[in-house]
Coordinates of all heavy atoms in Angstrom, one line a residue:
Chain A
A373 N -31.5 3.5 -4.8 CA -31.0 2.3 -4.2 C -31.8 2.2 -2.8 O -32.1 3.1 -2.2 CB -29.5 2.5 -3.8
T374 N -32.1 1.0 -2.6 CA -32.8 0.7 -1.2 C -32.1 -0.3 -0.6 O -31.4 -1.2 -1.1 CB -34.2 0.3 -1.4 OG1 -34.3 -0.9 -2.2 CG2 -35.1 1.4 -2.0
H375 N -32.0 -0.3 0.7 CA -31.2 -1.1 1.6 C -32.1 -1.8 2.5 O -33.0 -1.2 3.3 CB -30.1 -0.2 2.3 CG -29.5 -1.0 3.3 ND1 -29.6 -0.8 4.7 CD2 -28.6 -2.1 3.2 CE1 -28.8 -1.6 5.4 NE2 -28.3 -2.4 4.4
H376 N -32.0 -3.2 2.6 CA -32.8 -4.0 3.6 C -31.7 -4.7 4.5 O -30.7 -5.2 4.0 CB -33.6 -5.0 2.8 CG -34.5 -4.3 1.8 ND1 -35.6 -3.5 2.1 CD2 -34.3 -4.3 0.4 CE1 -36.1 -3.1 0.9 NE2 -35.3 -3.6 0.0
Q377 N -32.0 -4.8 5.6 CA -31.1 -5.4 6.6 C -31.8 -6.6 7.4 O -32.9 -6.4 7.7 CB -30.6 -4.4 7.5 CG -29.4 -4.9 8.3 CD -28.7 -3.8 9.1 OE1 -29.4 -2.8 9.5 NE2 -27.5 -4.0 9.4
S378 N -31.2 -7.7 7.4 CA -31.6 -8.8 8.2 C -30.5 -9.2 9.1 O -29.4 -8.6 9.1 CB -32.1 -9.9 7.4 OG -31.0 -10.6 6.9
Q379 N -30.7 -10.2 9.9 CA -29.6 -10.7 10.8 C -28.6 -11.4 10.0 O -27.4 -11.4 10.4 CB -30.2 -11.8 11.8 CG -31.1 -11.1 12.9 CD -31.5 -12.1 13.9 OE1 -31.8 -13.4 13.5 NE2 -31.5 -11.8 15.2
L380 N -28.9 -11.9 8.8 CA -27.9 -12.7 8.1 C -27.0 -11.8 7.1 O -25.9 -11.9 7.0 CB -28.6 -13.7 7.2 CG -29.2 -14.9 8.2 CD1 -29.8 -15.9 7.3 CD2 -28.1 -15.6 8.9
Y381 N -27.8 -10.8 6.4 CA -27.1 -10.1 5.4 C -27.7 -8.7 5.2 O -28.8 -8.4 5.6 CB -27.0 -10.9 4.1 CG -28.4 -11.5 3.7 CD1 -29.4 -10.5 3.2 CD2 -28.7 -12.7 3.8 CE1 -30.6 -11.1 2.9 CE2 -30.0 -13.2 3.4 CZ -30.8 -12.3 2.9 OH -32.0 -12.8 2.5
D382 N -26.9 -7.8 4.6 CA -27.4 -6.6 4.0 C -27.7 -6.8 2.6 O -27.0 -7.5 1.8 CB -26.3 -5.5 4.1 CG -26.0 -5.1 5.6 OD1 -26.8 -5.4 6.4 OD2 -25.1 -4.5 5.7
H383 N -28.8 -6.3 2.2 CA -29.4 -6.6 0.8 C -29.6 -5.3 0.1 O -30.4 -4.5 0.7 CB -30.6 -7.4 0.9 CG -31.3 -7.7 -0.4 ND1 -32.6 -8.0 -0.6 CD2 -30.7 -7.7 -1.6 CE1 -32.9 -8.1 -1.8 NE2 -31.8 -7.9 -2.5
Y384 N -29.0 -5.1 -0.9 CA -29.1 -3.8 -1.7 C -29.9 -4.0 -2.9 O -29.7 -5.0 -3.7 CB -27.7 -3.1 -2.0 CG -27.0 -2.7 -0.8 CD1 -26.0 -3.5 -0.3 CD2 -27.2 -1.4 -0.3 CE1 -25.4 -3.1 1.0 CE2 -26.6 -1.0 0.7 CZ -25.6 -1.9 1.4 OH -24.9 -1.3 2.4
E385 N -30.8 -3.2 -3.2 CA -31.5 -3.1 -4.5 C -31.2 -1.8 -5.1 O -31.3 -0.8 -4.6 CB -33.1 -3.2 -4.3 CG -33.6 -4.7 -4.0 CD -35.1 -4.6 -3.9 OE1 -35.7 -3.5 -4.1 OE2 -35.7 -5.7 -3.8
V386 N -30.8 -1.9 -6.5 CA -30.5 -0.7 -7.2 C -31.4 -0.6 -8.4 O -31.5 -1.6 -9.1 CB -29.0 -0.6 -7.6 CG1 -28.8 0.5 -8.5 CG2 -28.1 -0.7 -6.4
D387 N -32.1 0.5 -8.5 CA -32.9 0.7 -9.6 C -32.0 1.5 -10.7 O -31.9 2.8 -10.5 CB -34.1 1.6 -9.2 CG -35.1 1.6 -10.4 OD1 -34.9 1.3 -11.4 OD2 -36.2 2.1 -10.0
L388 N -31.6 0.8 -11.6 CA -30.8 1.4 -12.7 C -31.8 1.9 -13.8 O -31.8 1.2 -14.9 CB -29.8 0.3 -13.2 CG -28.7 -0.1 -12.2 CD1 -27.9 -1.2 -12.7 CD2 -27.9 1.1 -11.9
E389 N -32.3 3.0 -13.6 CA -33.0 3.7 -14.6 C -34.3 3.1 -15.1 O -35.3 3.7 -14.8 CB -32.1 3.9 -15.8 CG -32.4 5.2 -16.6 CD -31.3 5.5 -17.6 OE1 -30.2 5.0 -17.5 OE2 -31.7 6.3 -18.6
Y390 N -34.3 1.9 -15.4 CA -35.6 1.3 -15.9 C -36.1 0.2 -15.1 O -37.3 0.1 -15.0 CB -35.3 0.7 -17.4 CG -34.8 1.7 -18.3 CD1 -33.5 1.7 -18.8 CD2 -35.5 2.8 -18.7 CE1 -33.0 2.6 -19.7 CE2 -35.1 3.8 -19.6 CZ -33.8 3.7 -20.1 OH -33.3 4.6 -21.0
S391 N -35.2 -0.6 -14.5 CA -35.8 -1.7 -13.9 C -35.1 -1.9 -12.5 O -34.0 -1.4 -12.3 CB -35.6 -3.0 -14.7 OG -34.3 -3.1 -15.1
R392 N -35.7 -2.7 -11.7 CA -35.1 -2.9 -10.3 C -34.3 -4.2 -10.3 O -34.7 -5.3 -10.8 CB -36.2 -3.0 -9.3 CG -35.8 -3.0 -7.9 CD -37.0 -2.6 -7.0 NE -37.5 -1.3 -7.2 CZ -36.9 -0.3 -6.5 NH1 -35.9 -0.5 -5.7 NH2 -37.4 0.9 -6.6
H393 N -33.1 -4.1 -9.7 CA -32.2 -5.3 -9.8 C -31.8 -5.6 -8.3 O -31.6 -4.7 -7.5 CB -31.0 -5.1 -10.6 CG -31.1 -4.7 -11.9 ND1 -31.5 -5.6 -12.9 CD2 -31.2 -3.4 -12.5 CE1 -31.7 -4.9 -14.0 NE2 -31.5 -3.7 -13.8

Side-chain angles (χ1 to χ4, degrees):
Chain A
T374 54
H375 170 246
H376 311 285
Q377 194 171 25
S378 74
Q379 285 186 324
L380 292 177
Y381 49 72
D382 289 345
H383 175 203
Y384 291 92
E385 281 184 358
V386 173
D387 190 348
L388 293 172
E389 213 170 333
Y390 302 115
S391 52
R392 190 166 289 276
H393 303 282

